[in-house]
Amino acid sequence: MFISFEGIDGAGKSTQVKKLKKHLSEKGHQVLTLREPGGTVIAEKIRSLLLESKHDITPIGELLLFSASRAELVQNVISPALKQGNVVIVDRFYDSTTAYQGYGRGLDLEMLRAVNTVSTFGLEPDITFFLDISPEDALIRKFSEKSIPLSFEENELDRMESSGLAFYQRVREGYLQLAGSEKKRFMMLDACNDAENIHEEIVQKLALVCSGL
Ligand SMILES: Nc1ncnc2c1ncn2[C@@H]1O[C@H](COP(=O)(O)OP(=O)(O)OP(=O)(O)O)[C@@H](O)[C@H]1O
Ligand SMILES: [Mg+2]
């Protein structure tokens, strides 16, 4: 079973990944959780390149770095774990590329589809939980997390986080489009609900789509 979590920064993905891992592990499943970009030595190096504020990267460069990181992760970690029968939960997968590099940065969506197929070797999540939140609400969460006042210093944020509200609005729109066009794979959740309630919804949905979980 391959599960992905998506949503803009601060939506609550990592919170839900942690809860779901605990739940499934307690039920006796072997669960591997991974975050994108990262998860292998090479992919973690790419992660720091991508998230450091001081580097300027072109949209295509950004796309190819994210995709290189994903290919490393799929081939070396995700596919072998799935073959062994593990549950794999990823904190972001190729929908992030479509939402951020496509809707956010404006890269061609058809081209992204092709690149995503290459970087994943055609692997798709069985189910994708999309945590939907407005960029304003997400930003408030991020700021309270970092204990910095809302009149922020830009250098407190990583390179993606400092892309601005309009950018995140486009990314959110992208996710909404994706969720609408792939209703079978996507489950949309209101990320403003209580974290425990969201977790319950996720557990119920998983029990429905996969009787073993
Ligand atoms: N349902 C929720 N209600 C209120 N606060 C939440 C909820 N879920 C998570 N949070 C808080 O919001 C902040 C962001 O959550 P989290 O780190 O899980 O988001 P994320 O989607 O993983 O963000 P990023 O993309 O930046 O990694 C954290 O401080 C977390 O405790
Ligand atoms: Mg996170």
Side-chain angles (χ1 to χ4, degrees), residues 130 173-184 186 188:
F130 163 44
E173 277 304 316
Y175 276 127
L176 289 168
Q177 294 276 341
L178 282 172
S181 66
E182 282 192 69
K183 289 203 176 72
K184 202 160 176 283
F186 268 86
M188 192 164 105

Side-chain angles (χ1 to χ4, degrees), residues 33-45:
T33 56
L34 299 160
R35 66 169 184 185
E36 274 220 346
T40 72
V41 175
I42 297 289
E44 288 294 331
K45 283 184 195 271

Side-chain angles (χ1 to χ4, degrees), residues 109-130:
L109 295 175
E110 276 305 312
M111 182 271 287
L112 289 183
R113 230 186 297 279
V115 172
N116 284 342
T117 305
V118 171
S119 70
T120 58
F121 305 86
L123 179 68
E124 292 176 12
D126 297 300
I127 186 158
T128 298
F129 293 105
F130 163 44

Side-chain angles (χ1 to χ4, degrees), residues 60-192:
I60 290 286
E62 181 180 90
L63 166 70
L64 295 176
L65 283 172
F66 274 115
S67 301
S69 161
R70 183 165 305 134
E72 293 298 308
L73 190 66
V74 169
Q75 184 148 32
N76 295 320
V77 185
I78 298 177
S79 290
L82 289 173
K83 278 201 190 92
Q84 286 171 11
N86 296 340
V87 177
V88 178
I89 306 175
V90 285
D91 192 333
R92 298 193 177 284
F93 202 51
Y94 62 78
D95 297 306
S96 286
T97 292
T98 310
Y100 281 73
Q101 278 71 50
Y103 289 86
R105 304 265 189 242
L107 292 182
D108 180 72
L109 295 175
E110 276 305 312
M111 182 271 287
L112 289 183
R113 230 186 297 279
V115 172
N116 284 342
T117 305
V118 171
S119 70
T120 58
F121 305 86
L123 179 68
E124 292 176 12
D126 297 300
I127 186 158
T128 298
F129 293 105
F130 163 44
L131 295 161
D132 184 44
I133 190 170
S134 74
E136 291 85 355
D137 287 341
L139 198 65
I140 290 168
R141 282 188 187 174
K142 294 298 287 186
F143 278 109
S144 56
E145 190 182 36
K146 292 186 177 183
S147 306
I148 41 178
L150 263 175
S151 56
F152 60 90
E153 297 276 334
E154 277 225 349
N155 57 14
E156 297 276 7
L157 301 174
D158 76 28
R159 204 179 54 80
M160 297 302 289
E161 287 168 355
S162 53
S163 298
L165 271 186
F167 172 77
Y168 281 102
Q169 194 54 55
R170 294 195 298 276
V171 174
R172 181 194 193 189
E173 277 304 316
Y175 276 127
L176 289 168
Q177 294 276 341
L178 282 172
S181 66
E182 282 192 69
K183 289 203 176 72
K184 202 160 176 283
R185 175 166 67 87
F186 268 86
M187 182 183 182
M188 192 164 105
L189 298 148
D190 182 349
C192 289

Side-chain angles (χ1 to χ4, degrees), residues 8-15 91-92 141-142 145 161 191 193-195 198:
I8 63 172
D9 306 44
K13 300 176 296 298
S14 304
T15 304
D91 192 333
R92 298 193 177 284
R141 282 188 187 174
K142 294 298 287 186
E145 190 182 36
E161 287 168 355
N193 280 342
D194 179 76
I198 298 173

